Amino acid sequence: MRFVIGALIIVVASASATAVAAWHEVDKVVRAFQSTKHIPHIQDVITQADAGKPQTILLMGSDKRSKNAVDVRNGAIGKALSDTMMLMRLDPNKRATALLSLPRDLKVEIPGYGTDKLNAAYSLGGARLTVRTIRGLDPRLKINHVINVDFHGFSKAVNALGCIFVDVDRRYYNQSDAYSKINLQPGYQRLCGQDALSYVRYRHEDNDLVRATRQQDFLREVKAQVGAFGIINDRNRLLHIFSSYTSSDLQSRSGILRLLKLAVFSASHPIQEIHFRAKVGPSYVYARSSVVAKTVTQFLGVQPAKGPKGELQPKSRTERKRAHRAASGIESAPLPGHDQALQAINEKDKVFPVWYPTKRTFGGLFAGPPAVYTITTRTGKRYAAYRMVIKKGYVGEYYGLQGTTYTKAPLLDQPHSTRKIHGRKFSLYYDGDRLRLVSWKTGDAVYWISNTLLQTLSNKQMLAIAASTKHL
């Protein structure tokens, strides 16, 4: 389960609170760290960082197998697995905070146990063996701190922050007991405790690469919105959640202060997501040693990401041909988009102007009717909205068009640049060298094209689809 998100939420929130509340509040933060449950036998496998130097933090989330879970081994329930592992790099000499998700099913050598999935290291030897296994991926990976969070802490922290606005790319639905239950419609919306947890831990019809990308996308929004809305009034509540629902290696005051100084310094920096380029197989996620080495170099150097966040492999010859066409360009398809617009208008009597795409990636199909709904803000204000979802090809490859009268949506804060195409002004939002969003505003409404979670649409495709949009 994706419990680790809660750890980063609380670390960022605690850092922001400390920066604003002045140093007489530092003792509260230090005591919160010292009150976390201590991870046993961890000090001899982590590296102590000098003051002012970069630090790498391992953020973990562990869970126990439900009796109905599909991956229970031999019917056993008791032992926990580290379901999520993320490395966070805080470097005072860089202008971004690096975040690297490690695939839970990555094929690794676990010291003393042989070949297995990375997440098995936790059930075999806890956080200590997990650290040893991760260090074995590359000798340059030195972990300075470990923070493990419980799912209750995640839900409570999200609620303490007033919930988080998320650009949900598609319909998420599962009501079976084999996976966590979820029922989310697509579209930009505010997710609170349990819904947010179900979203980031979603596993049904998904894979490691897509899950990791969804988690990182959620974290980016958390970090941006913590700064936008502020958490000073809730700092004591957040610190209580942190101390109650996490375990860590942090005990000494000097070590905690070194970490907090770095966190405060990095609070205003954006998150730089590092892509772990791997291949998803039937049992494992695979990555060559040369690929791992390149990934570690990018992580330690906090280097901007290039290209898509992952590439899903088509299985059949027909799928490979279709994938090649979809990657190579776009096609004209005005009628399906027009039909979507008519459905959106018919859904409600009073709806703002509906824009729709007249071009799409080759072979793309609308994934059902548009979602027409209302966005409710933290203050209770309500705004009309709709979302059209297009399935590009494989799992995780959903892009779409969003429209809403919520023109102050946090997602649209601080575009990287603007561009005029055919006399229309578009705001551009990048993730690495890829366009994540292309937005435009008309009258009292705002619209945007969202890339897939894996950023598989090229910049040329994103701009062409946005420029092709028309309205009824």
Side-chain angles (χ1 to χ4, degrees):
M1 293 185 292
R2 305 314 186 221
F3 305 156
V4 67
I5 311 298
L8 187 55
I9 292 174
I10 300 164
V11 169
V12 171
S14 301
S16 301
T18 303
V20 179
W23 284 108
H24 72 272
E25 293 288 331
V26 168
D27 280 341
K28 291 183 180 179
V29 182
V30 172
R31 285 196 299 269
F33 273 97
Q34 291 176 328
S35 298
T36 61
K37 184 179 179 181
H38 184 64
I39 299 175
H41 312 299
I42 195 69
Q43 294 297 334
D44 60 335
V45 295
I46 61 176
T47 303
Q48 297 300 318
D50 295 329
K53 297 296 182 181
Q55 294 194 33
T56 296
I57 304 166
L58 172 61
L59 302 171
M60 300 173 58
S62 58
D63 71 323
K64 291 187 177 181
R65 304 288 83 197
S66 162
K67 65 180 180 180
N68 294 316
V70 296
D71 54 353
V72 171
R73 296 184 178 187
N74 302 319
I77 300 175
K79 288 190 175 181
L81 298 175
S82 56
D83 198 70
T84 290
M85 288 150 284
M86 289 185 180
L87 294 175
M88 183 170 64
R89 180 76 169 175
L90 300 177
D91 190 334
N93 298 315
K94 304 295 182 181
R95 296 184 177 181
T97 298
L99 193 66
L100 173 63
S101 293
L102 300 174
R104 65 192 294 273
D105 293 337
L106 183 66
K107 187 177 182 180
V108 296
E109 290 296 317
I110 300 178
Y113 293 91
T115 302
D116 208 330
K117 297 178 180 180
L118 177 57
N119 72 328
Y122 191 85
S123 63
L124 294 171
R128 186 178 187 277
L129 185 58
T130 302
V131 171
R132 292 182 62 198
T133 303
I134 293 173
R135 285 173 48 179
L137 295 174
D138 189 295
R140 295 172 296 167
L141 274 179
K142 301 185 186 302
I143 296 173
N144 306 113
H145 296 292
V146 180
I147 298 176
N148 195 355
V149 65
D150 176 85
F151 75 97
H152 293 296
F154 168 86
S155 298
K156 289 179 179 294
V158 169
N159 288 336
L161 292 172
C163 308
I164 302 298
F165 281 103
V166 179
D167 197 33
V168 178
D169 62 318
R170 64 180 179 95
R171 176 80 187 280
Y172 287 87
Y173 181 83
N174 175 62
Q175 293 298 310
S176 71
D177 292 329
Y179 298 93
S180 178
K181 294 183 178 181
I182 186 173
N183 186 8
L184 286 180
Q185 295 291 338
Y188 191 67
Q189 58 194 281
R190 189 163 149 256
L191 296 184
C192 298
Q194 186 56 48
D195 282 340
L197 176 62
S198 298
Y199 173 72
V200 297
R201 66 179 284 198
Y202 186 79
R203 298 174 60 187
H204 185 48
E205 298 178 349
D206 220 332
N207 63 47
D208 253 9
L209 300 183
V210 177
R211 281 196 300 269
T213 302
R214 189 167 58 249
Q215 293 162 25
Q216 291 188 349
D217 184 72
F218 186 88
L219 286 178
R220 179 180 57 242
E221 296 307 316
V222 168
K223 195 170 190 299
Q225 291 171 47
V226 164
F229 295 108
I231 48 84
I232 302 307
N233 293 334
D234 291 319
R235 64 182 181 273
N236 292 334
R237 182 181 173 190
L238 286 164
L239 291 175
H240 175 72
I241 293 169
F242 180 67
S243 62
S244 301
Y245 294 98
T246 63
S247 56
S248 73
D249 68 285
L250 290 157
Q251 296 294 310
S252 72
R253 181 181 177 84
S254 59
I256 295 170
L257 288 176
R258 282 196 296 270
L259 176 60
L260 284 178
K261 288 178 181 178
L262 266 182
V264 170
F265 181 83
S266 303
S268 61
H269 291 171
I271 289 179
Q272 179 63 64
E273 303 168 18
I274 308 300
H275 306 167
F276 197 107
R277 299 193 177 278
K279 293 184 178 180
V280 179
S283 299
Y284 293 98
V285 171
Y286 300 88
R288 298 192 306 271
S289 57
S290 59
V291 173
V292 173
K294 183 178 180 180
T295 301
V296 172
T297 298
Q298 293 174 333
F299 173 71
L300 296 177
V302 195
Q303 297 176 3
K306 295 182 178 181
K309 297 183 179 182
E311 296 180 4
L312 303 177
Q313 300 298 316
K315 297 179 180 179
S316 68
R317 185 176 181 180
T318 301
E319 286 181 332
R320 285 194 294 271
K321 288 183 178 180
R322 188 175 66 178
H324 178 73
R325 291 189 68 204
S328 61
I330 59 174
E331 61 183 354
S332 178
L335 291 180
H338 187 267
D339 288 343
Q340 288 271 311
L342 289 176
Q343 290 181 68
I345 290 176
N346 291 334
E347 189 74 20
K348 288 188 176 181
D349 294 331
K350 295 181 179 180
V351 67
F352 56 97
V354 175
W355 288 72
Y356 63 93
T358 64
K359 293 183 179 181
R360 65 187 182 190
T361 54
F362 282 116
L365 296 173
F366 283 101
V372 180
Y373 64 104
T374 300
I375 297 174
T376 304
T377 68
R378 289 173 170 83
T379 59
K381 291 184 178 180
R382 296 166 65 84
Y383 297 91
Y386 73 92
R387 179 62 161 246
M388 299 176 183
V389 178
I390 304 171
K391 185 175 182 180
K392 179 173 179 283
Y394 309 107
V395 174
E397 293 199 310
Y398 295 83
Y399 64 97
L401 187 154
Q402 176 79 39
T404 179
T405 55
Y406 186 24
T407 58
K408 301 295 185 181
L411 184 74
L412 303 178
D413 288 344
Q414 299 179 342
H416 294 94
S417 62
T418 59
R419 183 170 175 177
K420 276 195 173 183
I421 305 176
H422 304 315
R424 294 169 58 192
K425 181 180 178 182
F426 295 94
S427 296
L428 309 182
Y429 302 79
Y430 286 88
D431 184 356
D433 66 346
R434 287 266 166 151
L435 277 171
R436 175 171 56 89
L437 296 175
V438 178
S439 74
W440 66 99
K441 184 178 180 181
T442 63
D444 295 327
V446 66
Y447 308 82
W448 63 83
I449 300 293
S450 296
N451 206 332
T452 68
L453 283 174
L454 293 176
Q455 311 291 322
T456 52
L457 269 66
S458 68
N459 294 350
K460 184 178 180 180
Q461 289 173 319
M462 288 284 289
L463 291 171
I465 293 171
S468 81
T469 52
K470 295 182 178 180
H471 68 86
L472 291 181

